Amino acid sequence: MSVSSLFIILVSAILVNNFILSRFLGICPFLGVSKQVETAFGMGMAVTFVMALASIITYLAQILILEELNIQYMQTIVFILVIASLVQFVEMVIQKSSPTLYQSLGVFLPLITTNCAVLGLTLINISQEYNLIETIVHAIGAALGFTLAIVLFAAIRERLELSHVPKAFKGFPIALITASLMSLAFLGFAGLV
């Protein structure tokens, strides 16, 4: 494990294998919370915290409990329980520290529990057989990629609100078209690593 391999994992998770725009995981918060940059950034930070901690805890649970007891078939249930517990913790922290962010995230904050990007990340870390350091780097990269995509999308959507858009495309249709164009743009990073 060298610094260059960790850098490749990080860049790959942010740009090449972006969870939203390349792997198509985490689309619900991407579309639901991306109307304002501040809200999108808050969601990105909450998901970053959950992804990082969930990756560490699920890795340790996999190695120290599931594999030791030979009960790997319980992996998905254990991972979902870990993620749900972390999301409850994040929700309580945000509610106490930033009530306005808590209000603006609304129902999407508890939905991090069912955000397939978080569960997908933990499962990918195990299937790729990453060690703990690689798991942490991959989680940080995936979370930064998630945050990058959702904040860029929110900035574009804010600009679209001020632009002249044909009536048939106003709202959700232009958002989907924009998301597809962003996904195509991120395909340009495919040969990077």
Side-chain angles (χ1 to χ4, degrees):
M1 176 181 62
S2 66
V3 173
S4 61
S5 67
L6 293 176
F7 182 73
I8 289 171
I9 291 171
L10 182 71
V11 171
S12 174
I14 294 171
L15 299 174
V16 179
N17 296 315
N18 186 286
F19 270 67
I20 293 176
L21 300 172
S22 296
R23 294 187 188 259
F24 305 110
L25 296 171
I27 300 294
C28 296
F30 176 69
L31 293 173
V33 185
S34 60
K35 291 183 181 178
Q36 295 179 331
V37 173
E38 297 83 22
T39 307
F41 185 73
M43 176 59 95
M45 290 300 98
V47 168
T48 298
F49 181 76
V50 170
M51 279 184 162
L53 277 180
S55 293
I56 294 167
I57 294 170
T58 56
Y59 175 83
L60 294 174
Q62 177 74 21
I63 300 300
L64 300 176
I65 298 171
L66 299 176
E67 288 179 7
E68 285 295 320
L69 297 175
N70 199 23
I71 54 171
Q72 292 92 337
Y73 59 88
M74 297 288 293
Q75 182 183 58
T76 305
I77 294 170
V78 170
F79 287 11
I80 289 172
L81 288 173
V82 167
I83 293 166
S85 301
L86 286 172
V87 169
Q88 287 300 312
F89 175 72
V90 168
E91 187 175 4
M92 289 187 302
V93 168
I94 291 177
Q95 187 176 15
K96 294 288 184 196
S97 64
S98 180
T100 51
L101 178 60
Y102 179 77
Q103 290 289 11
S104 62
L105 291 175
V107 71
F108 292 100
L109 187 58
L111 286 179
I112 294 175
T113 302
T114 58
N115 185 346
C116 55
V118 180
L119 180 60
L121 171 68
T122 60
L123 294 173
I124 289 169
N125 286 338
I126 299 299
S127 71
Q128 293 292 322
E129 297 179 1
Y130 287 147
N131 62 33
L132 183 60
I133 301 300
E134 291 170 333
T135 295
I136 293 168
V137 169
H138 186 244
I140 291 169
L144 290 175
F146 181 92
T147 303
L148 174 69
I150 198 169
V151 168
L152 286 175
F153 189 57
I156 293 170
R157 285 182 77 175
E158 281 184 0
R159 297 275 318 248
L160 285 172
E161 287 295 319
L162 303 174
S163 301
H164 174 71
V165 177
K167 187 177 180 181
F169 291 109
K170 281 223 180 265
F172 204 62
I174 195 69
L176 290 175
I177 292 169
T178 303
S180 64
L181 291 173
M182 283 181 64
S183 181
L184 286 173
F186 269 69
L187 282 176
F189 295 117
L192 188 62
V193 289

